[in-house]
Amino acid sequence: MAAQLRAAHRRARALAALALAAAGGLLAAATVGSGPAGAAGPVLRDLAEAKGSYFGTALTQSDLNNSTVTALAGTQFDVVTPGNEMKWDTTESSAGNFNFGPGDRIVSFAKAHSMRVRGHTLVWHSQLPSWVSNLPAAQVKAAMENHITTEATHYKGQLYSWDVVNEPFNEDGTLRTDVFSNAMGSGYIADALRTARAADPSAKLYLNDYNIEGLGAKSDGMYQLVSSLKSQGVPIDGVGFESHFIVGQVPSSMKANIQRFTALGVNVAITELDDRMPVPASAANLAQQATDYANVVNSCLAVSGCVGVSQWGVGDPDSWIPGAFSGYGAATMYDDTYQPKAAYNAVVTALGGNSSSSPSPSPSPSGSSSPSPSPSSSPSPSSSPTSGGAACRVSTQVNAWNTGLTENVTVTNTGATAVNGWQLTFTLPAGQTVNNAWNATVSPASGTVGATNLAYNASVPAGGSTGFGFQATHTGNAAPATGFALNGVACTTG
Ligand code: G3I
């Protein structure tokens, strides 16, 4: 039954992605067959669902205008958290005037892609309009309750969960001082939870915070609060561990900490995972990031009350990190060109999938479009083909699972002149059939195949690179394609 439901969801997602692309003219990639747009590797959501879990992402309104982001989000993830669109400064920027348009757009996207929505967030000291922070203490309770009731009623029955109160603690585990605690003391949290439950009885109600992932003073503060709320019968269903990590610093006590919360009778969700590092990223840090992501996913999977993991943003271009931490970035599973990183492969493996890759040409921490060739694979000028159209080098990366694979191909123009308009021909191993492609038109679907440029990537300067990819089914042989030739001239590989 679960398998049938998943298959039905996959079909609905594929149809929804294609309908969305057709309606909006958004699909940058030409497709062969009817596979889901934008798939790039084993599907995280399917792997997570097979484990009774989920894999989510954050999306903002502006993300919805980016077809690469929407294709990846709608394919790989099954839970959405609006990045900003349900916060108080958007939904009630002046007293009593509510605007749910931005949040509604995120919910519509989620519905079209069979994704659940984590509502974020009803009560938070940040992104709070000044009319609220300037209220006389005697008016804060009514304003808070009205805000919660109106917003939670608007989304009643449509959300999986609400982060009812966000980031209520100081680092030492004491309650943060803000307009709500000043006016109502610590009781504002119970009041907010009760008000949210009354407005939307079906949404799971969460408290969400950062730096509570491991055992320590701040997580002790959250633990004591949740324990107290439970003993008073206050409705609380879960605790969100934001999980904004620095590479190599995932707390070793994370699993134990998840366990102690679930023992209180609440769920835990990893709500905003990212793992930042100095940029440009080093190969060592990207490898450590993969270990970190795997540790987080494994910690959650190991505890039955940990319901799932959400990353904060789809790829590195969507991440809040560079804007907030100067010199840091590369914090997500997808690089600056939305190619899956080692962290993605590590998550696939942690979720029980099969991720196998041929060596990529170089780490591309900042999405460099000109990967540096390894000395052994770089053709010398004298050995480069110089006639018939192009001299080229190709590298491939395959991610495979039982019956499917994605292959990303990077083509470097190693000739002395620009290529204007290209077709890369290659041979697919027997049994592989392409059903979806991005950044090129791929045809026919099997055998000797041609990948032809789209309008925007027709030109490849001397020394420059371009990339495309495809998804294919296979019958047991998931090896990379071979025999690459660019505009009729054979390419080196490596
Ligand atoms: O909307 C204004 C725009 O009008 C203005 O031109 C622009 C100029 O800077 O700012 C825009 O507002 C920005 C807003 O995002 C919407 O894009 C704010 O400056 C910016 O500070 C705000 O950042 C958000 C941040 O929360 C605020 O704390 C991030 O996008 C959002 O990803 C981030 O999310 C939080 C979670 O809600 C809670 N946990 C931490 C997480 C990361 O900070």
Side-chain angles (χ1 to χ4, degrees):
M1 176 58 86
Q4 284 166 340
L5 276 174
R6 284 197 300 277
H9 278 155
R10 270 194 296 275
R11 283 193 295 277
R13 274 194 334 263
L15 287 170
L18 290 170
L20 189 75
L26 294 176
L27 190 61
T31 58
V32 177
S34 59
V43 177
L44 298 177
R45 62 184 284 168
D46 291 345
L47 296 171
E49 286 168 21
K51 297 232 172 231
S53 188
Y54 65 74
F55 217 102
T57 188
L59 280 179
T60 63
Q61 268 202 105
S62 61
D63 291 336
L64 298 183
N65 300 322
N66 181 328
S67 60
T68 304
V69 176
T70 54
L72 263 179
T75 306
Q76 290 286 342
F77 301 97
D78 54 1
V79 167
V80 174
T81 306
N84 290 305
E85 291 68 15
M86 293 187 183
K87 294 173 180 174
W88 200 316
D89 61 352
T90 296
T91 54
E92 195 188 3
S93 59
S94 62
N97 294 315
F98 287 89
N99 174 19
F100 297 119
D104 290 351
R105 287 193 65 206
I106 305 283
V107 172
S108 295
F109 178 87
K111 283 182 180 166
H113 295 82
S114 305
M115 305 164 94
R116 287 181 286 173
V117 179
R118 297 195 78 261
H120 176 80
T121 175
L122 292 167
V123 181
W124 189 24
H125 71 275
S126 181
Q127 289 176 284
L128 185 68
S130 55
W131 74 264
V132 184
S133 32
N134 293 336
L135 280 174
Q139 295 176 27
V140 172
K141 183 170 187 279
M144 184 190 83
E145 291 176 353
N146 184 55
H147 180 78
I148 294 171
T149 299
T150 306
E151 182 161 5
T153 301
H154 177 82
Y155 289 112
K156 181 178 180 179
Q158 302 184 76
L159 304 187
Y160 165 62
S161 63
W162 264 117
D163 290 334
V164 177
V165 179
N166 202 41
E167 302 176 355
F169 286 103
N170 295 314
E171 293 306 295
D172 65 359
T174 58
L175 201 64
R176 184 190 291 273
T177 300
D178 62 16
V179 66
F180 305 108
S181 60
N182 276 340
M184 304 165 64
S186 63
Y188 87 91
I189 294 177
D191 191 76
L193 288 161
R194 289 191 173 106
T195 307
R197 175 55 44 89
D200 185 355
S202 66
K204 304 285 185 198
L205 305 183
Y206 275 71
L207 302 179
N208 189 52
D209 214 327
Y210 60 93
N211 286 351
I212 59 165
E213 296 79 14
L215 299 169
K218 193 171 184 179
S219 69
D220 285 351
M222 179 67 93
Y223 181 83
Q224 281 149 17
L225 172 66
V226 173
S227 177
S228 161
L229 293 170
K230 289 294 284 184
S231 68
Q232 296 170 64
V234 176
I236 175 164
D237 302 303
V239 176
F241 290 11
E242 291 190 10
S243 304
H244 295 294
F245 293 124
I246 298 169
V247 72
Q249 296 183 27
V250 175
S252 57
S253 57
M254 189 164 179
K255 183 172 130 192
N257 195 33
I258 294 172
Q259 277 167 333
R260 73 167 174 160
F261 276 97
T262 59
L264 290 175
V266 294
N267 288 328
V268 168
I270 310 303
T271 52
E272 305 181 12
L273 176 61
D274 50 33
D275 195 27
R276 63 186 180 268
M277 62 187 73
V279 287
S282 67
N285 276 341
L286 290 168
Q288 181 63 49
Q289 183 183 55
T291 302
D292 292 351
Y293 261 76
N295 283 342
V296 172
V297 172
N298 283 325
S299 295
C300 186
L301 289 175
V303 185
S304 62
C306 187
V307 291
V309 178
S310 295
Q311 179 173 266
W312 202 244
V314 169
D316 290 345
D318 318 306
S319 171
W320 69 296
I321 294 294
F325 298 94
S326 180
Y328 281 77
T332 77
M333 292 180 290
Y334 291 98
D335 73 12
D336 276 352
T337 56
Y338 294 98
Q339 299 303 306
K341 293 153 65 170
Y344 166 87
N345 291 331
V347 169
V348 167
T349 302
L351 291 172
N354 180 6
S355 165
S356 61
S357 307
S358 67
S360 63
S362 68
S364 56
S366 56
S368 165
S369 60
S370 52
S372 47
S374 69
S376 60
S377 66
S378 180
S380 67
S382 60
S383 65
S384 297
T386 54
S387 62
C392 47
R393 182 177 63 254
V394 167
S395 67
T396 58
Q397 185 176 45
V398 173
N399 290 304
W401 59 104
N402 8 342
T403 57
L405 62 86
T406 60
E407 181 163 350
N408 285 296
V409 180
T410 302
V411 191
T412 302
N413 174 9
T414 54
T417 57
V419 170
N420 290 304
W422 50 266
Q423 185 180 56
L424 189 76
T425 52
F426 51 89
T427 303
L428 288 171
Q432 289 188 16
T433 305
V434 175
N435 54 25
N436 179 32
W438 49 95
N439 302 336
T441 303
V442 175
S443 178
S446 56
T448 300
V449 172
T452 306
N453 66 272
L454 303 181
Y456 82 91
N457 62 3
S459 179
V460 185
S465 299
T466 192
F468 69 94
F470 57 86
Q471 182 169 336
T473 56
H474 69 80
T475 55
N477 185 352
T482 54
F484 292 93
L486 183 63
N487 292 347
V489 177
C491 302
T492 60
T493 52

